[in-house]
Amino acid sequence: MNELPNVLFSQTIDSLKVNVYDNRLALGTAAGVDVAARIKQLLSEKPSIRMIFAAAPSQNELLAYLLEDQAIDWNRITAFHMDEYNGLPVDAPQKFSRFLCERLFNQVKPGTVHLIDSSNESEEECRRYGELLRQAPIDIVCLGIGENGHIAFNDPPIADFNDPQVIKMVELDNACRQQQVNDGCFAAIKDVPTHALTLTIPALLSGSHLFCVVPGPTKQKAVERTLNGPISTECPSTILRKHPDCTLYVDRDSYGK
């Protein structure tokens, strides 16, 4: 495996640990090293663990590192993902379940993979997936931050730090939909679905260990607000500063200083 990249700068804001790296490859590799180490440590203490994964281009380097680490016992891992578009065809290339299956799950073959089925009736799917998530605690969450500060698809207009639900149907903010175009996932905003199923903020924060990977210049404003703005649903990612064990990985471009 690659050596751990050098950290350019580290700080802690409230409870959030922040590590700044030279570029996105270094950032993703460092996050991969830390996630892999936590997986192995937890599996040395108990028979199995449960993980939630984000599906976005920002996660590519992290997922690539985990794919290469042959020492991870994936058979003892139950995997979830945190959101899925509503209304896309089953075989649509933009589906988040397909993204994670192609980049990780199909190769490492976790013991159990629970995918959000957006073709199911939304209320029934929220009930089904919520029950799966509630069966046992979540150990690790690998997530990112959107350009508008969302975590999963909890955009500012609907984000709720005290949401009673585990997963819900949401209408996507225009800034969020535009990000999907900026990321190259869709050709135009008219092609981006207007609704999605998403894990709620309390569901994400229920994870014992959070690893938040945020590279690139398009995320600079969101990172600045996350670190320096008031903790508010106007920038949902600010709540990460209250989690007891969350590390934010950024590069020069996203940190912006």
Side-chain angles (χ1 to χ4, degrees):
M1 304 301 293
N2 297 327
E3 293 184 4
L4 182 63
N6 291 328
V7 181
L8 298 181
F9 175 69
S10 294
Q11 65 180 141
T12 300
I13 299 178
D14 295 325
S15 296
L16 178 64
K17 298 179 287 292
V18 184
N19 292 336
V20 184
Y21 296 89
D22 186 54
N23 54 58
R24 67 177 295 154
L25 177 59
L27 175 165
T29 300
V33 169
D34 290 349
V35 172
R38 181 64 71 181
I39 291 172
K40 295 167 193 175
Q41 178 249 316
L42 291 171
L43 287 177
S44 74
E45 299 171 353
K46 54 186 184 176
S48 62
I49 65 171
R50 289 155 60 87
M51 298 182 63
I52 296 172
F53 292 89
S58 64
Q59 308 297 301
N60 284 345
E61 289 78 15
L62 165 63
L63 297 177
Y65 185 93
L66 295 178
L67 181 61
E68 292 176 4
D69 191 334
Q70 301 299 312
I72 297 174
D73 186 357
W74 287 97
N75 191 52
R76 297 162 59 197
I77 296 174
T78 296
F80 298 85
H81 65 130
M82 60 182 59
D83 44 21
E84 184 61 90
Y85 293 116
N86 190 54
L88 286 180
V90 174
D91 59 349
Q94 297 93 345
K95 286 181 74 73
F96 291 146
S97 54
R98 178 170 178 173
F99 178 98
L100 286 169
C101 286
E102 290 179 348
R103 284 165 175 77
L104 187 66
F105 297 159
N106 288 351
Q107 289 96 309
V108 301
K109 295 181 169 47
T112 304
V113 176
H114 294 301
L115 299 176
I116 299 170
D117 183 1
S118 58
S119 67
N120 196 4
E121 191 276 324
S122 60
E123 187 173 329
E124 167 59 23
E125 184 60 12
C126 288
R127 183 201 63 77
R128 183 191 75 86
Y129 210 70
E131 287 182 356
L132 292 170
L133 284 158
R134 284 190 291 264
Q135 285 178 358
I138 298 298
D139 296 287
I140 294 173
V141 180
C142 299
L143 72 159
I145 295 174
E147 293 176 16
N148 64 354
H150 72 217
I151 48 178
F153 270 143
N154 295 282
D155 290 329
I158 55 87
D160 184 351
F161 292 160
N162 299 299
D163 204 312
Q165 301 178 80
V166 175
I167 178 174
K168 64 182 181 181
M169 177 72 76
V170 296
E171 182 174 1
L172 300 179
D173 188 36
N174 279 341
C176 171
R177 295 176 67 219
Q178 182 60 47
Q179 179 185 326
Q180 313 311 311
V181 179
N182 298 346
D183 284 347
C185 300
F186 293 88
I189 194 168
K190 66 179 176 60
D191 302 321
V192 183
T194 58
H195 290 75
L197 292 166
T198 184
L199 271 60
T200 61
I201 291 174
L204 297 173
L205 295 184
S206 74
S208 297
H209 310 283
L210 272 55
F211 299 87
C212 189
V213 175
V214 189
T218 62
K219 302 294 181 70
Q220 182 180 328
K221 182 178 179 180
V223 168
E224 195 279 332
R225 293 179 70 194
T226 299
L227 300 183
N228 302 310
I231 296 176
S232 163
T233 54
E234 292 184 9
C235 182
S237 53
T238 54
I239 196 63
L240 298 175
R241 288 166 27 202
K242 294 298 185 183
H243 191 276
D245 187 18
C246 180
T247 302
L248 174 65
Y249 301 82
V250 292
D251 58 14
R252 289 180 185 270
D253 289 335
S254 57
Y255 190 66
K257 296 182 182 178

